[in-house]
Amino acid sequence: MWLGPEEVLVANALWVTERANPFFVLQRRRGHGKGGGLTGLLVGTLDVVLDSSARVAPYRILHQTQDSQVYWTVACGSSRKEITKHWEWLENNLLQTLSIFDSEEDITTFVKGKIHGIIAEENKNLQPQGDEDPGKFKEAELKMRKQFGMPEGEKLVNYYSCSFWKGRVPRQGWLYLTVNHLCFYSFLLGKEVSLVVQWVDVTRLEKNATLLFPESIRVDTRDQELFFSMFLNIGETFKLMEQLANLAMRQLLDSEGFLEDKALPRPIRPHKNISALKRDLDARAKNECYRATFRLPKDERLDGHTGCTLWTPFNKLHIPGQMFISNNYICFASKEEDACRLIIPLREVTIVEKADSSSVLPSPLSISTKSKMTFLFANLKDRDFLVQRISDFLQKTPSKQLGGSTGGAKASIADPGPESLPAPREASEPPTNPSSPLSSPPSFNTREVPTASQGLLKVFQKNAPMEDLGAKGAKEKMKEESWSIHFFEYGRGMCMYRTAKTRELVLKGIPESLRGELWLLFSGAWNEMVTHPGYYAELVEKSMGKYSLATEEIERDLHRSMPEHPAFQNELGIAALRRVLTAYAFRNPTIGYCQAMNIVTSVLLLYGSEEEAFWLLVALCERMLPDYYNTRVVGALVDQGIFEELTRDILPRLSEKMQELGVISSISLSWFLTLFLSVMPFESAVVIVDCFFYEGIKVILQVALAVLDANMEQLLDCSDEGEAMTVLGRYLDNVVNRQSISPPIPHLHALLTSGDDPPTEVDIFDLLKVSYEKFSSLRADDIEQMRFKQRLKVIQSLEDTAKRSVVRAIPGDIGFSIEELEDLYMVFKAKHLASQYWGGSRSAAIHRDPSLPYLEQYRIDSSQFRELFASLTPWACGSHTPVLAGRMFRLLDQNKDSLINFKEFVTGMSGMYHGDLTEKLKALYKLHLPPALIPEEAESALEATHYFTEDSSSEEAPAQEQQEGSGNEDVQERREEKGTSPPDYRHYLRLWAKEKEAQKETIKDLPKMNQEQFIELCKTLYNMFSEDPREQDLYHAIATVASLLLRIGEVGKKFSARTAKKPRDGAHSGDHNSATEEDEPPIAKPHQDPTRECHPPVAGDPQAKGSGDTHLGKALHDSHVIVEGGSGEGQGSPSLLLSDDETKDDMSMSSYSVVSTGSLQCEDLTDDTVLVGGEAYSPTATSRIGGTVDTDWCISFEQILASVLTESVLVNFFEKRVDIRLKIKDQKKVERQFSTSSDHEPPGVSG
């Protein structure tokens, strides 16, 4: 590339001059290319350690003048080809002009101007990128691509100098963190280390310090442990690595969410030396933290934050903290964790004004809300800019009100004046699958259904006056009074000051009358409900009467949701639960419905209206318990892993015992998924739910630890899992809430686990108190850190399970070993994931759905298959390989959706690697018939097309039925349904059953091949042998076989023409194109079994067309030569045997058996037999073949097989074993496009 001219004082240090003229010098870096010796080693080491640009550009051109000692760099290049191009341009365009100048200064000025002009011209043609990465960073990205062979699409995020520990020796080098890979390169005195690890393969990532490795980062994959140390800023590096690994895990978990989440807002004022991607990732991390801290909707984007103080009227203090501003909210968090937290929705703001500064209150800002609250912030650094940002966001906030808010305690909650918004975006179109309507009201109307406006408890319990409830009633009254005082002091509604006092009140239990309201506030569900008015009703309308797999599961579980509670013993409660669950399944088809959601939702419905319960469920599933309720309950497994880790750290004695009994995994899943609602009496568990909505998952973990701690002695005495489960079950059944004013509800679990002696009762408030006293050291950010660590483990173990399931689903007759299949699966999966990385093929990425059966989750398209085929096939055909790959893909693509799954892929590979000569030839033969061979590649394909549409005995039949007529509509319907609900697994069961029923195919079932298809087959064979050591012998053999087969086809045509003229016994003339095989199989060598059966691959959609180079001319030229003797095993000249009787009995053209004369028995030669020699092959026939294609000519598979058997060199070629594991090993290198030219190689000196 051209460089802006810079001075070089010592031109020859570390560089070797290769070309020179009076004005320019072309130089090569010492040690680059071949040779280099010790100097080369030292230079290479210096370049790596000092991160010199010479590593990536080992060639350069300098401008010089005769008398000057100063040189100027004008160009550099990564390869000789690139630098030579620049050199030639300078010679052709500048040398003559420069010789005219008299002054050397003028020459230098002219050259510099010219080079700057070229660079400006080049830059003008480049599209402006908007937010370009800094130059130094671009150079590093170029080095990374060149060093590790990464494609353009792979973006570098950041790079760090560090040491990689190889054994006990540290290797100093550079760590490159890209979006999809971790790469490390070091070159020290001839010892080169080059590492590439995909983030999706990382199973463990942690920062640790040991005696051996001082403060290092450990990266584990399934097969290696890597340690990196000596970072300048280990904290920043580790944080970035965590983010990238987390992104990769999200990609494995949910590719659609991953693709949507890729876009991030660009910062307004970009930093100088940070890549745009690094900024994006930092912004993403801040966004996630901001949303989690303040429980804001998922689409909220943080705009900025600044230090400030907040005046708190309740204790007359200025509290220091941070103010955060996003498009819809202003939030504040104090430096002390519990001092104060505040959320002000911009929809509530009425006035923002700058107050007068004073020495006590510098640069204050006052914000007033509709609920008559005023918040005073001070010590703001850039107040004017801040006010401008807030006013910009306020202008975008919808201001149209449906009702004004009034003063009073419940103003902002009861009557918040919700904004009128356009129809919500998230509503997904449900499938219109005709089915019996579900037993629910035909429409959802607020006036008709009581649950539309209030919780089920209010509907079913007409509460008696508090006085009648005695001490319990008095306690409840006191709680309500405490909250009223709190609301008066700290405000009510979304803008409430949340302090340590708020937590104390929550821990003492929320009164029944306020529970629904406070759950909505603390969870953040209120924000989404207010900003999406009418959304729930609209969803209910849409989902009414629609059928999907989710609705079927919901119906099954409705009557299992708190059956002991009177609210769910009648149709009113059940119908409300059905509506909420079905609406959510339609809002979020990825989750749809998961067991345990029914139990949680039924409790939400007791305390809130249907709409409130719906939004609380949204907050739970999508924000507070991420990934809990998907098909693989990943989130719950992650938190279960955290629980095990905490048990190990806090209760080590018990942890060992629990591991031994294997009990933690059995118990904790139900505790986490149902928030203790399924294992504790309802009135006790609901107090835990109160704390959960305020504090998050931390409370559940604390209570779980407290339960184990309370039962430690008994658990240590247990001898098996059942006993431990009983101990814990009985304890939880007897956790009581003595303050509850609801009538006690019998707990079904308690009835099952009650023993002889009455167990001691435990008060829920005591249990909570103990959990906070003993285990409150848990912090939210620590939990997030642990979640990340566990997520790596959980997702990788799920991926391993998927791999094992897929490998088990592959039939035993495929021929690959389990290890080979697992290796192939990893290569196949990597190829699928690469489509998401580099955007080469969006189709496969979009099609990935984690709810599908494992076999269907990863699929590849034709271009990806072509790349895999090229690197794995044993039949390398040079430039003809892509054509062959395209044919193989069409053959394997059963359902014609232009994607193939792993099973289909392995079937195709197996055809080339396993089986005897017959099997492999059969696979090759099929690649030259429709549907593999498309009309553009071979025009006359009538015969084979007829075979594929009419003959239903082969495995292609099920696929054909699907594509005919209305089959396409069914497929379309299935695709539409897939978008809105999990797929119907019965469909896959039916498909697999059909596969098993399909009959095995014999070589007699194969159709005949016409001349054009045969020519294509010859092309492939000629290209196949180009890299073989016995190339000449193979070419000679294939020429012999091709000429023999051409003559057989000609002779066959004559006989079919003769029989057509004189039909015997009233037989009608035959039509070759609908040929059916009824004749005898060919007589082959004794050890061959031509009738051996195999599974054929199944047909697919024509998609790609390519053309390879051909050596066919030689075959056709040689085809008139009569071959007197077969090579190798052949016993004399091959002859043709044609029985006239067969012709009489068969209306179609029969197969002609080819045998060697040595194996012919005398009795076989009857009077009707005609021996055909070379003379039957006339010159006219040859000329016809040379010109146009003969449509009457055709040949059968048996004839090809028998002809090939005459050539031992061909037999040996096809029967030669190839180790696919070596190919897979090479493929992994090819995946990163390693450069092998000597120009790019490191110095070839062994260390």
Side-chain angles (χ1 to χ4, degrees):
M1 59 192 245
W2 297 107
L3 298 174
E6 284 181 20
E7 280 191 25
V8 178
L9 290 173
V10 189
N12 294 318
L14 308 181
W15 293 84
V16 182
T17 300
E18 294 208 330
R19 287 189 187 183
N21 61 38
F23 304 106
F24 297 102
V25 183
L26 189 156
Q27 296 186 325
R28 172 177 57 81
R29 188 72 164 174
R30 278 188 197 280
H32 180 78
K34 289 174 182 165
L38 187 60
T39 324
L41 286 181
L42 288 167
V43 174
T45 303
L46 275 171
D47 285 348
V48 169
V49 174
L50 302 175
D51 197 32
S52 155
S53 58
R55 234 177 78 218
V56 71
Y59 295 94
R60 69 180 185 182
I61 297 175
L62 302 179
H63 164 61
Q64 62 163 7
T65 48
Q66 285 172 346
D67 300 331
S68 171
Q69 293 302 307
V70 179
Y71 291 77
W72 300 83
T73 54
V74 293
C76 70
S78 59
S79 66
R80 193 180 295 275
K81 186 178 171 188
E82 183 187 353
I83 207 73
T84 308
K85 188 175 155 197
H86 288 337
W87 179 261
E88 285 170 357
W89 188 91
L90 290 170
E91 283 192 328
N92 296 337
N93 295 283
L94 286 191
L95 279 190
Q96 209 169 350
T97 315
L98 294 178
S99 58
I100 299 166
F101 287 95
D102 298 329
S103 156
E104 290 189 353
E105 274 182 28
D106 291 348
I107 292 174
T108 304
T109 311
F110 179 79
V111 169
K112 283 159 74 175
K114 193 72 182 165
I115 299 298
H116 281 304
I118 294 171
I119 293 170
E121 192 63 33
E122 278 180 354
N123 290 343
K124 193 174 75 177
N125 297 334
L126 290 172
Q127 288 296 315
Q129 299 273 313
D131 140 284
E132 281 291 319
D133 289 332
K136 182 80 179 149
F137 188 85
K138 277 190 160 172
E139 195 180 288
E141 188 163 51
L142 193 64
K143 283 177 198 165
M144 177 274 296
R145 291 224 183 97
K146 181 160 167 38
Q147 195 62 59
F148 304 103
M150 295 290 179
E152 278 290 315
E154 184 67 344
K155 300 287 183 204
L156 179 65
V157 181
N158 216 343
Y159 62 107
Y160 302 93
S161 169
C162 72
S163 289
F164 164 64
W165 290 78
K166 197 163 186 188
R168 295 185 173 228
V169 184
R171 298 294 180 81
Q172 185 63 29
W174 290 86
L175 180 73
Y176 297 91
L177 304 180
T178 75
V179 176
N180 306 299
H181 298 87
L182 174 154
C183 309
F184 177 83
Y185 181 76
S186 163
F187 178 79
L188 290 177
L189 301 178
K191 300 273 189 186
E192 185 181 44
V193 177
S194 181
L195 280 176
V196 178
V197 176
Q198 282 189 313
W199 289 117
V200 285
D201 291 336
V202 173
T203 55
R204 181 176 177 182
L205 180 64
E206 59 189 27
K207 190 166 61 173
N208 52 17
T210 61
L211 286 171
L212 184 61
F213 302 119
E215 202 173 30
S216 61
I217 293 175
R218 174 180 178 170
V219 182
D220 287 9
T221 62
R222 286 177 178 80
D223 45 17
Q224 57 184 343
E225 290 176 11
L226 311 171
F227 289 89
F228 301 94
S229 68
M230 299 189 204
F231 289 93
L232 287 172
N233 186 345
I234 193 165
E236 182 199 325
T237 312
F238 183 68
K239 195 175 166 191
L240 181 58
M241 289 165 89
E242 251 188 354
Q243 280 180 289
L244 292 166
N246 220 340
L247 274 179
M249 292 307 109
R250 287 235 60 83
Q251 182 188 3
L252 286 176
L253 189 62
D254 169 21
S255 58
E256 281 180 39
F258 170 80
L259 287 167
E260 283 166 20
D261 207 23
K262 263 186 166 175
L264 278 164
R266 295 265 178 236
I268 300 158
R269 294 178 281 194
H271 303 285
K272 278 282 171 281
N273 287 321
I274 303 179
S275 74
L277 261 172
K278 173 85 169 71
R279 289 199 302 270
D280 281 358
L281 285 165
D282 289 345
R284 182 192 293 264
K286 281 181 180 168
N287 271 318
E288 283 172 2
C289 182
Y290 169 64
R291 288 194 297 260
T293 306
F294 299 104
R295 306 269 166 82
L296 298 176
K298 283 177 89 173
D299 54 357
E300 200 59 26
R301 296 272 185 268
L302 178 64
D303 186 67
H305 57 93
T306 180
C308 67
T309 57
L310 171 67
W311 168 253
T312 48
F314 49 85
N315 59 2
K316 311 284 186 291
L317 287 173
H318 288 284
I319 297 182
Q322 288 272 329
M323 178 200 259
F324 301 86
I325 296 174
S326 60
N327 24 355
N328 299 299
Y329 298 89
I330 298 169
C331 301
F332 174 85
S334 59
K335 279 186 179 162
E336 257 183 84
E337 201 178 351
D338 276 347
C340 182
R341 194 167 280 178
L342 182 65
I343 301 166
I344 310 170
L346 291 180
R347 60 176 184 270
E348 294 279 329
V349 173
T350 51
I351 301 166
V352 178
E353 59 183 345
K354 292 184 270 191
D356 296 332
S357 285
S358 68
S359 55
V360 183
L361 211 61
S363 55
L365 180 69
S366 156
I367 297 174
S368 305
T369 66
K370 292 174 189 165
S371 50
K372 308 288 183 284
M373 289 177 79
T374 301
F375 303 97
L376 190 62
F377 296 94
N379 293 289
L380 289 159
K381 287 194 185 91
D382 199 348
R383 185 174 62 162
D384 294 343
F385 177 73
L386 203 69
V387 171
Q388 185 56 49
R389 293 303 290 160
I390 293 172
S391 64
D392 289 349
F393 286 132
L394 276 170
Q395 282 171 3
K396 294 174 192 168
T397 306
S399 56
K400 191 180 167 193
Q401 299 300 319
L402 297 178
S405 68
T406 55
K410 205 172 175 180
S412 67
I413 270 285
D415 194 3
E419 296 76 13
S420 109
L421 283 183
R425 295 181 312 281
E426 294 102 317
S428 54
E429 201 61 37
T432 51
N433 194 6
S435 173
S436 57
L438 303 170
S439 53
S440 55
S443 68
F444 179 67
N445 190 309
T446 315
R447 289 186 295 279
E448 285 175 26
V449 189
T451 49
S453 57
Q454 55 185 339
L456 283 167
L457 273 185
K458 286 184 182 163
V459 178
F460 281 91
Q461 291 178 6
K462 306 298 178 198
N463 279 345
M466 289 290 182
E467 295 75 42
D468 299 356
L469 294 166
K472 283 185 180 178
K475 186 80 177 167
E476 186 76 2
K477 199 94 178 116
M478 277 171 63
K479 282 187 193 173
E480 286 180 6
E481 199 58 45
S482 303
W483 277 98
S484 295
I485 294 166
H486 187 271
F487 289 146
F488 180 74
E489 283 187 24
Y490 296 84
R492 186 171 189 170
M494 210 68 224
C495 303
M496 178 203 298
Y497 292 98
R498 297 156 200 229
T499 66
K501 185 81 168 53
T502 319
R503 177 196 277 153
E504 275 174 39
L505 283 178
V506 171
L507 276 172
K508 287 176 182 168
I510 296 175
E512 304 262 287
S513 57
L514 293 172
R515 193 161 262 145
E517 174 188 330
L518 291 173
W519 283 1
L520 281 167
L521 278 187
F522 296 149
S523 66
W526 176 253
N527 287 321
E528 291 189 276
M529 191 169 101
V530 168
T531 51
H532 295 86
Y535 175 58
Y536 171 69
E538 195 180 309
L539 264 187
V540 171
E541 278 301 331
K542 280 186 176 178
S543 61
M544 200 74 74
K546 299 289 193 307
Y547 173 84
S548 71
L549 196 63
T551 57
E552 192 179 308
E553 289 174 355
I554 290 168
E555 285 301 314
R556 199 172 54 228
D557 282 355
L558 282 176
H559 295 278
R560 303 178 193 165
S561 313
M562 295 189 67
E564 64 274 18
H565 199 288
F568 296 99
Q569 289 165 356
N570 64 74
E571 190 49 38
L572 180 67
I574 294 289
L577 183 60
R578 175 188 293 119
R579 281 192 292 273
V580 173
L581 289 173
T582 309
Y584 186 75
F586 275 78
R587 167 192 163 86
N588 189 343
T590 316
I591 292 177
Y593 170 76
C594 172
Q595 280 188 326
M597 278 168 76
N598 58 325
I599 294 169
V600 176
T601 311
S602 54
V603 173
L604 302 177
L605 274 167
L606 290 174
Y607 295 102
S609 67
E610 281 184 41
E611 187 176 14
E612 289 168 349
F614 171 79
W615 286 111
L616 279 167
L617 185 63
V618 168
L620 268 179
C621 295
E622 294 172 19
R623 287 187 283 112
M624 297 189 74
L625 296 174
D627 306 322
Y628 258 60
Y629 300 106
N630 57 26
T631 43
R632 301 187 278 181
V633 292
V634 172
L637 291 170
V638 166
D639 286 350
Q640 182 180 291
I642 294 177
F643 179 50
E644 288 186 38
E645 195 179 327
L646 290 171
T647 312
R648 258 197 311 280
D649 296 344
I650 300 168
L651 308 168
R653 268 178 70 214
L654 186 59
S655 170
E656 255 175 65
K657 182 72 177 177
M658 299 291 269
Q659 287 296 334
E660 191 186 304
L661 298 176
V663 80
I664 285 194
S665 52
S666 316
I667 52 166
S668 51
L669 208 56
S670 60
W671 295 2
F672 291 116
L673 277 170
T674 65
L675 308 175
F676 285 99
L677 287 163
S678 62
V679 292
M680 247 185 217
F682 162 70
E683 56 275 9
S684 306
V686 88
V687 178
I688 294 179
V689 178
D690 291 343
C691 300
F692 167 74
F693 277 122
Y694 189 76
E695 293 264 47
I697 192 65
K698 156 184 171 170
V699 177
I700 306 296
L701 290 165
Q702 283 177 191
V703 172
L705 286 167
V707 169
L708 288 189
D709 188 46
N711 292 281
M712 190 186 294
E713 296 309 321
Q714 284 173 279
L715 288 170
L716 287 171
D717 294 338
C718 290
S719 55
D720 59 33
E721 185 185 1
E723 198 179 335
M725 298 277 282
T726 309
V727 167
L728 291 167
R730 290 187 68 186
Y731 176 85
L732 289 167
D733 290 335
N734 291 286
V735 175
V736 294
N737 179 358
R738 298 193 177 95
Q739 298 175 15
S740 172
I741 56 164
S742 305
I745 296 161
H747 186 46
L748 292 185
H749 198 259
L751 303 175
L752 301 173
T753 56
S754 57
D756 303 329
D757 51 328
T760 51
E761 288 188 341
V762 183
D763 191 277
I764 180 64
F765 295 103
D766 293 342
L767 179 63
L768 275 171
K769 192 178 168 192
V770 169
S771 80
Y772 270 89
E773 283 171 359
K774 285 194 173 182
F775 310 112
S776 62
S777 57
L778 276 179
R779 289 163 51 88
D781 45 358
D782 293 339
I783 291 175
E784 275 312 306
Q785 184 74 37
M786 291 162 90
R787 269 182 169 166
F788 160 72
K789 198 166 143 189
Q790 293 298 331
R791 197 177 292 126
L792 282 181
K793 278 188 196 167
V794 169
I795 292 182
Q796 294 296 9
S797 70
L798 286 170
E799 288 295 308
D800 289 343
T801 307
K803 178 169 75 177
R804 286 194 293 274
S805 303
V806 169
V807 166
R808 274 203 302 270
I810 304 299
D813 58 0
I814 254 353
F816 290 116
S817 69
I818 297 288
E819 292 76 24
E820 286 171 342
L821 283 171
E822 286 186 350
D823 285 351
L824 278 170
Y825 176 77
M826 294 312 285
V827 167
F828 185 85
K829 176 178 149 187
K831 186 56 73 178
H832 166 93
L833 290 173
S835 68
Q836 287 174 299
Y837 292 169
W838 298 320
S841 158
R842 282 290 302 276
S843 62
I846 291 165
H847 277 73
R848 185 182 176 214
D849 179 357
S851 62
L852 286 172
Y854 287 132
L855 195 60
E856 294 291 323
Q857 279 185 27
Y858 294 113
R859 295 183 289 174
I860 58 173
D861 62 20
S862 59
S863 62
Q864 294 164 313
F865 176 78
R866 208 168 288 138
E867 291 164 22
L868 277 183
F869 182 89
S871 52
L872 295 178
T873 180
W875 299 341
C877 297
S879 59
H880 192 65
T881 307
V883 181
L884 206 60
R887 291 175 191 166
M888 175 71 86
F889 184 83
R890 289 191 288 276
L891 200 61
L892 296 174
D893 183 15
Q894 294 183 0
N895 52 2
K896 303 202 171 182
D897 63 352
S898 302
L899 292 169
I900 61 167
N901 64 25
F902 180 65
K903 186 177 177 183
E904 292 161 342
F905 170 71
V906 170
T907 307
M909 286 290 128
S910 177
M912 297 184 287
Y913 274 96
H914 298 291
D916 57 13
L917 170 80
T918 313
E919 301 291 301
K920 290 178 181 173
L921 271 183
K922 197 199 295 186
L924 195 59
Y925 185 81
K926 281 185 182 178
L927 291 179
H928 298 83
L929 294 173
L933 193 77
I934 50 176
E936 294 95 272
E937 290 180 338
E939 295 295 330
S940 316
L942 284 171
E943 175 189 55
T945 349
H946 285 173
Y947 160 76
F948 277 97
T949 49
E950 289 169 14
D951 186 350
S952 60
S953 65
S954 70
E955 276 190 0
E956 281 86 346
Q960 294 302 322
E961 288 167 18
Q962 269 185 18
Q963 83 190 42
E964 298 296 328
S966 63
N968 285 332
E969 292 161 28
D970 299 342
V971 172
Q972 191 61 34
E973 256 178 50
R974 264 203 304 282
R975 274 194 198 138
E976 280 170 23
E977 189 176 340
K978 198 188 290 176
T980 49
S981 65
D984 186 353
Y985 294 99
R986 289 172 300 192
H987 162 66
Y988 293 102
L989 290 171
R990 281 196 294 272
L991 276 183
W992 290 332
K994 272 186 184 176
E995 277 182 28
K996 283 187 176 160
E997 283 167 21
Q999 294 174 12
K1000 289 193 172 184
E1001 182 191 59
T1002 67
I1003 56 174
K1004 285 190 163 230
D1005 297 326
L1006 292 167
K1008 291 189 177 174
M1009 188 176 265
N1010 67 27
Q1011 197 173 61
E1012 199 153 351
Q1013 291 158 357
F1014 175 68
I1015 290 169
E1016 286 296 329
L1017 176 64
C1018 291
K1019 268 188 199 177
T1020 303
L1021 287 168
Y1022 268 97
N1023 283 296
M1024 201 181 278
F1025 308 136
S1026 58
E1027 293 166 23
D1028 198 275
R1030 299 194 62 187
E1031 190 177 340
Q1032 288 310 314
D1033 295 345
L1034 284 162
Y1035 278 148
H1036 179 70
I1038 205 63
T1040 308
V1041 169
S1043 61
L1044 178 61
L1045 287 166
L1046 282 164
R1047 284 184 293 155
I1048 292 170
E1050 280 297 314
V1051 173
K1053 193 177 72 172
K1054 285 184 182 178
F1055 275 87
S1056 68
R1058 190 186 304 170
T1059 50
K1061 283 177 198 163
K1062 295 186 259 177
R1064 297 197 196 176
D1065 305 327
H1068 298 292
S1069 62
D1071 175 10
H1072 321 218
N1073 289 340
S1074 57
T1076 57
E1077 317 273 359
E1078 291 175 12
D1079 51 333
E1080 295 299 313
I1083 303 164
K1085 291 200 164 65
H1087 67 276
Q1088 296 294 343
D1089 178 11
T1091 55
R1092 178 161 170 171
E1093 299 168 348
C1094 80
H1095 287 292
V1098 188
D1101 187 23
Q1103 196 187 35
K1105 175 185 185 249
S1107 62
D1109 56 348
T1110 174
H1111 303 277
L1112 186 66
K1114 185 179 170 193
L1116 294 177
H1117 176 70
D1118 292 349
S1119 62
H1120 67 278
V1121 178
I1122 300 159
V1123 183
E1124 291 302 335
S1127 66
E1129 298 165 63
Q1131 305 169 354
S1133 165
S1135 307
L1136 301 179
L1137 177 71
L1138 185 91
S1139 165
D1140 215 18
D1141 290 337
E1142 286 177 9
T1143 320
K1144 292 178 229 164
D1145 298 334
D1146 190 357
M1147 287 192 291
S1148 64
M1149 176 182 163
S1150 59
S1151 290
Y1152 306 119
S1153 300
V1154 180
V1155 294
S1156 56
T1157 46
S1159 63
L1160 263 176
Q1161 301 301 316
C1162 291
E1163 55 263 40
D1164 291 337
L1165 300 169
T1166 60
D1167 296 335
D1168 285 347
T1169 305
V1170 181
L1171 272 174
V1172 184
E1175 64 280 357
Y1177 194 83
S1178 65
T1180 52
T1182 315
S1183 64
R1184 183 157 21 147
I1185 287 167
T1188 58
V1189 172
D1190 191 340
T1191 50
D1192 295 336
W1193 189 99
C1194 69
I1195 200 154
S1196 71
F1197 175 70
E1198 290 103 315
Q1199 291 166 332
I1200 291 176
L1201 175 65
S1203 304
V1204 168
L1205 286 173
T1206 62
E1207 295 290 344
S1208 62
V1209 67
L1210 284 176
V1211 173
N1212 294 339
F1213 175 83
F1214 281 107
E1215 295 207 325
K1216 182 174 64 186
R1217 286 255 166 224
V1218 182
D1219 186 359
I1220 195 166
R1221 299 190 82 163
L1222 293 174
K1223 293 264 186 190
I1224 292 171
K1225 207 171 175 183
D1226 294 341
Q1227 199 278 336
K1228 285 177 180 171
K1229 289 180 187 171
V1230 172
E1231 192 66 41
R1232 297 198 309 276
Q1233 304 162 2
F1234 267 115
S1235 175
T1236 51
S1237 70
S1238 62
D1239 217 20
H1240 299 166
E1241 279 174 7
V1245 180
S1246 60

